[in-house]
Amino acid sequence: MGCARHWLVLALSLMVAGWSIGQPLRNEPLRPLPEHNDADPRRAALGARLFHDARLSGDRRHSCASCHDLARGGAGGLARAPSLGARRVQFNTPSIYNSVFNTVQSWTGRPAALAALPEHAGAAGWDALLAPLAADPAFNAQWRAVYGDVLGAAGAKDALGHYLRTLVTPSRFDRYLRGDAGALSEDEKAGYARFKSYGCVACHQGINVGGNMFARLGAMRELPGLRDNPNGQGRFEVTGRETDRFLYRVPSLRNVALTAPYFHDGSVATLEQAVDLMFTYQLGRGAPQRDKDLIAGFLRSLSGERLPPPGAAP
Ligand code: HEC
Ligand code: HEC
């Protein structure tokens, strides 16, 4: 009898083990990043050149990478991005990593992405932005070898688009979602469980743990100072609709441990403070310190490594 019970327990635990290894988790509100790079290697290489060239900005001194610093989680590390000449930049630089998966662009949904790039980089238009590179014979020869044409807006957007597709950073958490139960520590798993059960995931969801919706900052309790915010009133500035006042894009939390300071205006110094504020103002409640610590620990597991370069063997 005792022996039969042991066999039953053993058989059951083998079934559970067999099931938990290698099976992607189902019905999760978060989805894993891809594991392979689908960008065109030659176009992405030209995009990388553009991204790192300081001539590609209104003042000819800032490359894309000087604000979207790849060594700092793809974000700025400053509360506000530096101003480009006369243009004052009012926002904290969002991470460029995984930004191709954000369905809402920029903090207020203003298209900061490739279509609006010249304005974003402080130039009058695409021709003005690209002029110094278009006048560089060596660069143009390399460009022509890939695109068969002179450098222009369409090609530049295409090349940058391919490059951005290489800036994807799967993490241990993605391995966990794909079924590697050992990829997260027990504390990190507990943090993820709390992230879901407290309802953080109602806003920070999908493949980027955010980046796919707007939410009112101070959803459950008014955030002090927001009414007279010198940085504007959020999405209201773009649409003029009263219901959009104080709405901001819910940011992606991928690599969030690396992208301090936080919030659209860079007003929050540490990850712990950001988690605290989220409880108070977005959820309208407190929580035991232990739970907040576990959640912060889970968020650290979202720091990833860049995908292997496009064209690399899988
Ligand atoms: C002066 C600093 C600065 C420079 C230079 C800069 N960016 Fe940005 N970038 C920002 C800021 C700030 C935002 C957010 C703007 C907003 O929310 O309105 C942003 C947003 C973006 C976004 C949207 C990301 C998202 O998830 O919403 C993309 C894509 C982007 N930048 C790409 C580029 C590229 C490509 C270049 C080079 C041509 C570039 N940026 C140059 C500061 C900069
Ligand atoms: C009602 C929607 C909502 C809920 C619920 C919510 N958040 Fe947020 N979260 C936001 C918005 C909007 C921002 C951007 C705030 C800003 O830019 O000023 C944000 C910002 C953050 C940031 C800063 C990210 C950055 O790059 O600046 C962190 C960290 C964060 N949330 C974690 C959490 C955690 C942890 C929870 C649960 C305890 C949570 N959030 C619940 C909407 C939400």
Side-chain angles (χ1 to χ4, degrees), residues 50-53 56-57 62-68 80-84 87 89-100 102 104-114 117-118 120-122 126 129 160 163-164 208 211 249 252 264:
L50 296 178
F51 194 85
H52 289 96
D53 197 313
L56 202 78
S57 60
H62 289 88
S63 69
C64 314
S66 36
C67 290
H68 300 281
R80 306 290 161 66
S83 289
L84 294 174
R87 183 172 154 268
V89 182
Q90 60 188 140
F91 292 117
N92 183 2
T93 307
S95 176
I96 199 73
Y97 285 121
N98 312 302
S99 69
V100 287
N102 290 335
V104 174
Q105 292 286 343
S106 86
W107 290 101
T108 55
R110 185 175 278 138
L114 301 179
L117 207 55
H120 170 67
W126 277 101
L129 185 68
L160 282 166
Y163 180 56
L164 296 190
N208 260 354
R249 187 252 308 260
S252 164
H264 67 278

Side-chain angles (χ1 to χ4, degrees), residues 107 199-200 203-204 217 251 253 262-264 278-279 282-283 295:
W107 290 101
C200 309
C203 293
H204 298 277
L217 184 54
L253 298 183
Y262 303 104
F263 283 28
H264 67 278
M278 285 287 131
F279 268 102
Q282 298 309 95
L283 295 173
I295 288 178

Side-chain angles (χ1 to χ4, degrees), residues 92 107 194-195 198-204 213-217 219 223 226 246-253 256 259 261-265 267 271 274-275 278-279 282-283 295-296 299:
N92 183 2
W107 290 101
R194 282 160 181 73
F195 187 79
Y198 277 114
C200 309
V201 83
C203 293
H204 298 277
M213 60 180 269
F214 296 100
R216 191 185 168 89
L217 184 54
L223 200 75
L226 203 58
F246 311 123
L247 257 59
Y248 287 92
R249 187 252 308 260
V250 176
S252 164
L253 298 183
V256 72
T259 60
Y262 303 104
F263 283 28
H264 67 278
D265 55 359
S267 60
L271 186 56
V275 172
M278 285 287 131
F279 268 102
Q282 298 309 95
L283 295 173
I295 288 178
L299 294 179

